Amino acid sequence: MAGKTLYDKIFDSHVVREADDGSVLLYIDRQLLHEVTSPQAFEGLRLSGRQPWRQVANLAVADHNVPTLNRAQGISDPVAKLQVETLTRNCAEFGITEFGMGDLRQGVVHVMGPEQGFTQPGMTIICGDSHTATHGAFGAIAFGVGTSEVEHALATQTLTQRKSKNMQIVIDGELGRGVTSKDIILAVIGQIGTAGGTGYAIEFAGSAIRGLSMEGRMTVCNMAIEAGARVGLVAVDEVTIDYLEGRPLSPSGEQWQQAVSHWRTLVSDPDAVFDEVITIAAADIEPQVTWGTSPEMVVSVNGRVPATADGDVVKTQSFQKALGYMGLEADTAITDISLDKVFIGSCTNGRIEDLRAAAEVAKGQKVSDRVKLALVVPGSGLVKEQAEQEGLDQIFIDAGFEWREPGCSMCLAMNADRLEPGERCASTSNRNFEGRQGQGGRTHLVSPAMAAGAAIAGHFVDVRNHQAGS
Amino acid sequence: MQAFVKHNGLVAPIDRANVDTDALIPKQFLKSIQRTGFGPNLFDEWRYLDQGQPGEDCSGRPLNKEFVLNQPRYQGTTILVARANFGCGSSREHAVWALEDFGIRAVIAPSFAEIFFNNCFKNGVLPIILSEDVVSQLIDDASNQEGYRLDVDLPEQCVITAQGERFAFEINGAHKHNMLNGLDDIDLTLQNKAAIHEYERAAAQRTPWLFSDIAG
């Protein structure tokens, strides 16, 4: 019998019951909650007189709506304020731990969970947020769900699921200097497309993935959903175990040893069969910049905005719509695109390593006069504290960046941080959809180093040249 | 949830691939703590010329007359037909709540993003997968023929044109059962209460560090 993939191992060990039609009742170990997708789920529990199945399996934090400025004054938008207060009220009523806005541990849900050790290998983890795949970096099955499933998991600790197919994406070799985990995942999406992973769980493997830190692996898994896959995951190794040791919610004492022995088994068997395998040479990946309104519309920084999609009529139509929305001419060199705003942060790139990479580029430089606003938004209060201990905040402030409080911020612009119509932004977030960062706003997705480089030059630059010269 | 058995409705073409959930319902409307009332803001940025705010009365807002759902001939649309990867992006169920509140009962496309697809079945909106060729034909027909309607027959699993042409579609048994009966699946799951407890007892033996609240 062929071996099992990592995904199959975790999935199979969480099956409560299998139905005749092939769907299974899957046990959910942990649920993360935030203010936007949970109020209607709690309301559902209340209306049907149900209680959470396991209170300690849940952890909540407000992130999407929180202001990144003048936090002591509270939230000025009354609708957002009510939503954040509703989360606090619901957590109190149903006995669920919440990190409030004033808590140092508050942050973007997908930064906070791993940081606390709430995320552990071998778990099934859900959240009412599509970027839940982030937690797969720990060798867990983590996926985003809608509000009905948030309620379902609260009430039953299970979800009805069907097993996905297995895809392995192998990134072998060594990444070039200045090329990061963000460039890996953008290059993958560019190759397989935004629906390329639909129906699959993607395991990222290969020496370049093994060489990434946990932060880098989280960036890669985070955007599995932008390749269409609900689940992205990376096998457990020493990097995973080292990261987890001593975290507040990690197992301790005798249980730590027991957990570690179990975690070491969380790798795909050597003879496991994947339904699809894609191999990319790390050396071929260059810094990436999206030019359009879908993450698959991406080229290398030294490339040009394309005009057509190799004779594909429907795709060429979308290219043309995208160019119109983005206010770009075909054949423009990426490095000729100038920026109005820069955003560094989000669940994709708001971790300490991301801020270090951006600060390295920003150090001793000034944000271009052309750029109206360059924001740095740490992923959590703890990331912010760490960055301040390392003096990164001062590097950013000296260079003319704004240093903000943690939250989702301009990744989706639910709070006051947003683009105005027509404004163009270099952003380390995950989606460049129309209106994502504000109605009429134009988003280019890049790595933190590339975003910092763009802020300083006022247009995109190949950050490898900067690093070679510094 | 509203059951779905058979439906006859007016069809509007959304001639785009990758229609994302930010387009279906922009972020500012996600601040609501209600499950209803999203219909007037469905496709808000495509539908109106100004920027909408939550709680705003939409009846006086300037309409984008070009947008398909604003055209007089598509008033009363209950079926959308669109291109591949419909519903990609965020997990927001608000996207389906907006479709449902607007009056959409079914969406036909060559493929759907998974989270959106699952969310549809929780809200009585039927996502139907048909081939690229058939979808192209339906988009053409709904664009060229005023008052173009389709029948959707869930028990028979087919979409039927006014001329009687039939396009079969696949749907898994559990989804079909829930849609036909308008079922709340939490009740169904709770019929397995004993099995869930049994799973927890066994898992607490295997991985006790995950079950500090449950004795192994």
mmCIF file of all heavy atoms in Angstrom, chain B residues 70-89:
data_model
loop_
_atom_site.group_PDB
_atom_site.id
_atom_site.type_symbol
_atom_site.label_atom_id
_atom_site.label_comp_id
_atom_site.label_asym_id
_atom_site.label_seq_id
_atom_site.Cartn_x
_atom_site.Cartn_y
_atom_site.Cartn_z
ATOM 1 N N ASN B 70 -28.650 46.664 -13.551
ATOM 2 C CA ASN B 70 -29.393 47.931 -13.531
ATOM 3 C C ASN B 70 -30.230 48.127 -14.791
ATOM 4 O O ASN B 70 -31.021 49.056 -14.866
ATOM 5 C CB ASN B 70 -28.416 49.107 -13.396
ATOM 6 C CG ASN B 70 -27.864 49.211 -11.987
ATOM 7 O OD1 ASN B 70 -28.490 48.751 -11.030
ATOM 8 N ND2 ASN B 70 -26.689 49.800 -11.852
ATOM 9 N N GLN B 71 -30.013 47.278 -15.783
ATOM 10 C CA GLN B 71 -30.747 47.462 -17.037
ATOM 11 C C GLN B 71 -32.187 46.974 -16.868
ATOM 12 O O GLN B 71 -32.419 45.931 -16.245
ATOM 13 C CB GLN B 71 -30.037 46.722 -18.169
ATOM 14 C CG GLN B 71 -28.661 47.331 -18.456
ATOM 15 C CD GLN B 71 -27.802 46.467 -19.362
ATOM 16 O OE1 GLN B 71 -28.318 45.603 -20.071
ATOM 17 N NE2 GLN B 71 -26.507 46.690 -19.311
ATOM 18 N N PRO B 72 -33.146 47.753 -17.421
ATOM 19 C CA PRO B 72 -34.564 47.424 -17.213
ATOM 20 C C PRO B 72 -34.897 45.973 -17.544
ATOM 21 O O PRO B 72 -35.641 45.316 -16.824
ATOM 22 C CB PRO B 72 -35.291 48.373 -18.168
ATOM 23 C CG PRO B 72 -34.348 49.508 -18.370
ATOM 24 C CD PRO B 72 -32.962 48.959 -18.228
ATOM 25 N N ARG B 73 -34.279 45.446 -18.611
ATOM 26 C CA ARG B 73 -34.644 44.082 -19.052
ATOM 27 C C ARG B 73 -34.209 43.008 -18.057
ATOM 28 O O ARG B 73 -34.668 41.884 -18.126
ATOM 29 C CB ARG B 73 -34.040 43.793 -20.430
ATOM 30 C CG ARG B 73 -32.549 44.003 -20.480
ATOM 31 C CD ARG B 73 -31.995 43.732 -21.852
ATOM 32 N NE ARG B 73 -31.849 42.303 -22.085
ATOM 33 C CZ ARG B 73 -30.982 41.785 -22.950
ATOM 34 N NH1 ARG B 73 -30.207 42.578 -23.672
ATOM 35 N NH2 ARG B 73 -30.906 40.483 -23.119
ATOM 36 N N TYR B 74 -33.297 43.352 -17.145
ATOM 37 C CA TYR B 74 -32.850 42.342 -16.176
ATOM 38 C C TYR B 74 -33.463 42.529 -14.794
ATOM 39 O O TYR B 74 -33.042 41.873 -13.837
ATOM 40 C CB TYR B 74 -31.317 42.342 -16.083
ATOM 41 C CG TYR B 74 -30.646 41.859 -17.355
ATOM 42 C CD1 TYR B 74 -29.860 42.718 -18.113
ATOM 43 C CD2 TYR B 74 -30.805 40.543 -17.789
ATOM 44 C CE1 TYR B 74 -29.255 42.280 -19.287
ATOM 45 C CE2 TYR B 74 -30.209 40.096 -18.957
ATOM 46 C CZ TYR B 74 -29.431 40.966 -19.712
ATOM 47 O OH TYR B 74 -28.839 40.525 -20.859
ATOM 48 N N GLN B 75 -34.458 43.425 -14.685
ATOM 49 C CA GLN B 75 -35.096 43.590 -13.378
ATOM 50 C C GLN B 75 -35.851 42.304 -13.021
ATOM 51 O O GLN B 75 -36.561 41.745 -13.859
ATOM 52 C CB GLN B 75 -36.052 44.799 -13.374
ATOM 53 C CG GLN B 75 -35.345 46.126 -13.614
ATOM 54 C CD GLN B 75 -34.078 46.270 -12.774
ATOM 55 O OE1 GLN B 75 -34.141 46.267 -11.546
ATOM 56 N NE2 GLN B 75 -32.915 46.371 -13.425
ATOM 57 N N GLY B 76 -35.660 41.855 -11.806
ATOM 58 C CA GLY B 76 -36.312 40.615 -11.384
ATOM 59 C C GLY B 76 -35.443 39.376 -11.616
ATOM 60 O O GLY B 76 -35.913 38.244 -11.504
ATOM 61 N N THR B 77 -34.161 39.591 -11.923
ATOM 62 C CA THR B 77 -33.235 38.465 -12.140
ATOM 63 C C THR B 77 -33.152 37.577 -10.896
ATOM 64 O O THR B 77 -33.045 38.072 -9.776
ATOM 65 C CB THR B 77 -31.817 39.007 -12.456
ATOM 66 O OG1 THR B 77 -31.837 39.599 -13.741
ATOM 67 C CG2 THR B 77 -30.772 37.898 -12.414
ATOM 68 N N THR B 78 -33.208 36.266 -11.108
ATOM 69 C CA THR B 78 -33.026 35.334 -9.990
ATOM 70 C C THR B 78 -31.924 34.310 -10.274
ATOM 71 O O THR B 78 -31.571 33.523 -9.412
ATOM 72 C CB THR B 78 -34.323 34.566 -9.675
ATOM 73 O OG1 THR B 78 -34.743 33.890 -10.856
ATOM 74 C CG2 THR B 78 -35.422 35.504 -9.190
ATOM 75 N N ILE B 79 -31.393 34.324 -11.523
ATOM 76 C CA ILE B 79 -30.322 33.386 -11.881
ATOM 77 C C ILE B 79 -29.186 34.179 -12.524
ATOM 78 O O ILE B 79 -29.413 34.969 -13.441
ATOM 79 C CB ILE B 79 -30.830 32.313 -12.881
ATOM 80 C CG1 ILE B 79 -31.973 31.492 -12.251
ATOM 81 C CG2 ILE B 79 -29.682 31.401 -13.319
ATOM 82 C CD1 ILE B 79 -32.660 30.545 -13.214
ATOM 83 N N LEU B 80 -27.962 33.976 -12.015
ATOM 84 C CA LEU B 80 -26.797 34.612 -12.634
ATOM 85 C C LEU B 80 -26.012 33.549 -13.388
ATOM 86 O O LEU B 80 -25.922 32.403 -12.943
ATOM 87 C CB LEU B 80 -25.872 35.229 -11.577
ATOM 88 C CG LEU B 80 -26.416 36.377 -10.736
ATOM 89 C CD1 LEU B 80 -25.330 36.872 -9.769
ATOM 90 C CD2 LEU B 80 -26.915 37.534 -11.607
ATOM 91 N N VAL B 81 -25.448 33.956 -14.516
ATOM 92 C CA VAL B 81 -24.537 33.065 -15.212
ATOM 93 C C VAL B 81 -23.236 33.824 -15.434
ATOM 94 O O VAL B 81 -23.237 34.963 -15.910
ATOM 95 C CB VAL B 81 -25.167 32.457 -16.494
ATOM 96 C CG1 VAL B 81 -25.764 33.516 -17.380
ATOM 97 C CG2 VAL B 81 -24.178 31.604 -17.251
ATOM 98 N N ALA B 82 -22.121 33.224 -14.984
ATOM 99 C CA ALA B 82 -20.839 33.929 -14.976
ATOM 100 C C ALA B 82 -19.734 32.978 -15.378
ATOM 101 O O ALA B 82 -19.953 31.776 -15.534
ATOM 102 C CB ALA B 82 -20.566 34.483 -13.588
ATOM 103 N N ARG B 83 -18.529 33.530 -15.532
ATOM 104 C CA ARG B 83 -17.407 32.700 -15.983
ATOM 105 C C ARG B 83 -16.655 32.078 -14.801
ATOM 106 O O ARG B 83 -17.113 32.167 -13.668
ATOM 107 C CB ARG B 83 -16.509 33.522 -16.903
ATOM 108 C CG ARG B 83 -17.275 33.976 -18.168
ATOM 109 C CD ARG B 83 -16.389 34.202 -19.355
ATOM 110 N NE ARG B 83 -17.156 34.742 -20.482
ATOM 111 C CZ ARG B 83 -17.663 33.992 -21.463
ATOM 112 N NH1 ARG B 83 -17.475 32.682 -21.476
ATOM 113 N NH2 ARG B 83 -18.346 34.552 -22.446
ATOM 114 N N ALA B 84 -15.496 31.491 -15.093
ATOM 115 C CA ALA B 84 -14.817 30.589 -14.140
ATOM 116 C C ALA B 84 -14.415 31.239 -12.822
ATOM 117 O O ALA B 84 -14.225 32.447 -12.740
ATOM 118 C CB ALA B 84 -13.582 30.002 -14.815
ATOM 119 N N ASN B 85 -14.277 30.388 -11.803
ATOM 120 C CA ASN B 85 -13.737 30.765 -10.487
ATOM 121 C C ASN B 85 -14.600 31.822 -9.797
ATOM 122 O O ASN B 85 -14.099 32.735 -9.155
ATOM 123 C CB ASN B 85 -12.279 31.245 -10.637
ATOM 124 C CG ASN B 85 -11.482 31.132 -9.352
ATOM 125 O OD1 ASN B 85 -11.783 30.292 -8.494
ATOM 126 N ND2 ASN B 85 -10.482 31.975 -9.194
ATOM 127 N N PHE B 86 -15.907 31.686 -9.939
ATOM 128 C CA PHE B 86 -16.840 32.639 -9.315
ATOM 129 C C PHE B 86 -16.736 32.530 -7.788
ATOM 130 O O PHE B 86 -16.653 31.442 -7.235
ATOM 131 C CB PHE B 86 -18.271 32.315 -9.760
ATOM 132 C CG PHE B 86 -19.285 33.368 -9.372
ATOM 133 C CD1 PHE B 86 -19.575 34.429 -10.222
ATOM 134 C CD2 PHE B 86 -19.949 33.299 -8.149
ATOM 135 C CE1 PHE B 86 -20.509 35.403 -9.861
ATOM 136 C CE2 PHE B 86 -20.883 34.260 -7.788
ATOM 137 C CZ PHE B 86 -21.163 35.309 -8.645
ATOM 138 N N GLY B 87 -16.725 33.691 -7.115
ATOM 139 C CA GLY B 87 -16.717 33.700 -5.642
ATOM 140 C C GLY B 87 -15.345 33.543 -5.029
ATOM 141 O O GLY B 87 -15.230 33.196 -3.851
ATOM 142 N N CYS B 88 -14.282 33.820 -5.821
ATOM 143 C CA CYS B 88 -12.940 33.664 -5.253
ATOM 144 C C CYS B 88 -12.660 34.780 -4.249
ATOM 145 O O CYS B 88 -13.344 35.785 -4.217
ATOM 146 C CB CYS B 88 -11.884 33.647 -6.355
ATOM 147 S SG CYS B 88 -11.780 35.169 -7.304
ATOM 148 N N GLY B 89 -11.638 34.548 -3.432
ATOM 149 C CA GLY B 89 -11.241 35.562 -2.455
ATOM 150 C C GLY B 89 -11.697 35.224 -1.057
ATOM 151 O O GLY B 89 -11.662 34.069 -0.642
#
